[in-house]
Amino acid sequence: EAGVAQSPRYKIIEKRQSVAFWCNPISGHATLYWYQQILGQGPKLLIQFQNNGVVDDSQLPKDRFSAERLKGVDSTLKIQPAKLEDSAVYLCASSLEPGPGPGNTIYFGEGSWLTVV
Amino acid sequence: LAKTTQPISMDSYEGQEVNITCSHNNIATNDYITWYQQFPSQGPRFIIQGYKTKVTNEVASLFIPADRKSSTLSLPRVSLSDTAVYYCLVGIISNFGNEKLTFGTGTRLTIIP
C-alpha cells in the first residue's frame, strides 16, 4: 500500500516569498491533516480536512497560511508571505476517518522541510 | 491548551526493556492513544494504539490505566536502531471544551551499545 506522498521534500526561500506544499493521501482516506513541526518540538496541527471540508483550522495563521483540498483527495498548503519563524517541517497525514480509533490509524508522510532565510 | 507531557530524554543499554510514559490529564473520553516513532528527517511512524488496559503487537506493548490519564509505551529488548524520538498522540479537551488531537512533548531515546 502506498503511503502519504509529499512534495517538495526540501525548500529554501527568502522571507516574504511564497511557497506551496502538495500532499497526496493514502487512497481512500477521507481525513487529511497538515501539521507543522518546528525543530525540537512535537508536531502541531494546522488544519484538518474531512473530504473537501475543513474540520479544524483553529491553529492555522490565516493571515499568511492557506490550504485547500478541492476534490477531497490531494491537498495544497500555501504560505504567503513567509516569515523566518515559518522554518519548519510541514507534515501531511491521513486516516480513513477522523481518529484515532480501532482500525483507524493516522499515517504520516515524510514531510516537506522549509527553510526561510 | 493543556499539555501532554513526556520525559525529555532517556538512555538505555541494548537488550533492556524501556518504558516511556505520557501524561494526558484532559484526555477525551472516546479517543484512542497512539504512539509514534520519529527518526531524523522522517515523518512519525506508527508504533501502537490502544484505548485501555494493555495492547501488544510485534514491536511494543502499551499500558493504559483505568483513569486513562497516562499511558506507557514498553519496548522490549531495545537495539541501537530504536534510537529515535517517541511521541504519544491523544485527543485532549481544551480549555474551551473542544477536542484537539495533540502530540506529546516527545522523548528522545538513546540506546547505548
Side-chain angles (χ1 to χ4, degrees):
Chain A
E1 176 181 275
V4 177
Q6 292 188 242
S7 67
R9 193 83 164 86
Y10 303 96
K11 190 76 175 178
I12 301 175
I13 62 172
E14 294 182 350
K15 59 183 179 182
R16 292 187 290 273
Q17 287 187 325
S18 63
V19 63
F21 302 113
W22 172 83
C23 172
N24 182 245
I26 293 173
S27 178
H29 281 195
T31 308
L32 186 146
Y33 313 79
W34 282 101
Y35 282 84
Q36 179 193 58
Q37 186 174 24
I38 294 172
L39 187 65
Q41 299 182 18
K44 181 184 81 170
L45 180 67
L46 292 177
I47 189 167
Q48 177 181 340
F49 291 95
Q50 181 64 18
N51 296 308
N52 61 349
V54 175
V55 173
D56 184 352
D57 63 356
S58 57
Q59 299 188 100
L60 186 74
K62 298 180 185 62
D63 58 333
R64 299 181 299 104
F65 286 66
S66 65
E68 59 183 16
R69 195 186 184 199
L70 294 176
K71 297 183 180 179
V73 181
D74 294 5
S75 177
T76 303
L77 175 71
K78 297 179 181 178
I79 308 174
Q80 181 179 15
K83 293 184 175 181
L84 295 177
E85 58 261 35
D86 298 332
S87 294
V89 181
Y90 291 87
L91 295 162
C92 181
S94 71
S95 60
L96 284 170
E97 304 171 350
N104 190 49
T105 300
I106 300 173
Y107 294 97
F108 285 80
E110 295 298 333
S112 292
W113 292 69
L114 174 66
T115 301
V116 183
V117 297
Chain B
L1 186 67
K3 289 192 73 174
T4 304
T5 57
Q6 302 175 229
I8 293 175
S9 63
M10 297 179 68
D11 295 338
S12 178
Y13 288 98
E14 278 190 290
Q16 291 189 331
E17 178 185 81
V18 172
N19 297 309
I20 305 173
T21 297
C22 177
S23 297
H24 31 77
N25 288 332
N26 295 342
I27 187 171
T29 302
N30 298 321
D31 265 8
Y32 274 57
I33 299 161
T34 312
W35 281 81
Y36 290 87
Q37 176 191 55
Q38 189 174 31
F39 295 113
S41 303
Q42 296 186 22
R45 185 173 72 99
F46 173 83
I47 301 174
I48 196 167
Q49 176 176 275
Y51 183 76
K52 60 182 179 181
T53 62
K54 177 183 176 182
V55 179
T56 297
N57 63 19
E58 62 275 10
V59 298
S61 293
L62 179 59
F63 299 91
I64 304 168
D67 65 6
R68 299 193 348 111
K69 293 186 175 182
S70 66
S71 58
T72 298
L73 172 71
S74 181
L75 303 173
R77 300 179 297 281
V78 293
S79 63
L80 294 176
S81 62
D82 293 317
T83 294
V85 180
Y86 292 82
Y87 291 99
C88 60
L89 174 65
V90 298
I92 296 295
I93 301 298
S94 76
N95 294 335
F96 301 98
N98 59 325
E99 178 185 331
K100 288 195 176 298
L101 277 179
T102 303
F103 274 89
T105 48
T107 299
R108 183 173 299 277
L109 175 64
T110 302
I111 305 304
I112 304 165

